[in-house]
Amino acid sequence: MEEKRKHPRTEVEEPAYVSSGGSVMRCVVRNISPEGAAIDVENPAFVPQRFQLVMAKDARIVHECRVAWIQKNRLGLTFLDQE
């Protein structure tokens, strides 16, 4: 499979939150780059197409995101603040 990313992803395992319209869902960031991330969630059906990803260890780190792809419980995200 051809790599289309401009920046390589860094493998991590950091807790974070999917935040949208006042609702918050826990997730785990599995990899991240300046332009996107992959997260694991319990139920992807409850994740909106656009939301804020809030890092648990530093709530000042917030990314505006859109879902790029879904595979089982893993979602690929594009950071809209980097487009």
Side-chain angles (χ1 to χ4, degrees):
M1 189 169 166
E2 181 186 347
E3 180 61 61
K4 296 180 181 177
R5 297 180 184 129
K6 293 178 199 162
H7 304 282
R9 296 274 173 103
T10 301
E11 298 295 322
V12 296
E13 189 170 338
E14 292 188 29
Y17 300 96
V18 171
S19 175
S20 177
S23 75
V24 176
M25 178 190 316
R26 292 166 58 114
C27 67
V28 177
V29 178
R30 296 300 181 181
N31 64 51
I32 194 163
S33 78
E35 61 186 16
I39 63 171
D40 287 344
V41 295
E42 198 167 299
N43 188 340
F46 294 119
V47 178
Q49 187 62 34
R50 290 178 179 246
F51 61 89
Q52 290 184 319
L53 180 67
V54 182
M55 302 307 287
K57 72 177 183 181
D58 187 348
R60 295 172 298 180
I61 301 174
V62 178
H63 297 283
E64 294 291 332
C65 303
R66 74 173 165 79
V67 176
W69 53 263
I70 300 173
Q71 292 179 348
K72 296 185 181 177
N73 288 9
R74 185 157 295 180
L75 285 73
L77 310 177
T78 300
F79 293 155
L80 300 176
D81 41 15
Q82 299 301 316
E83 289 188 330

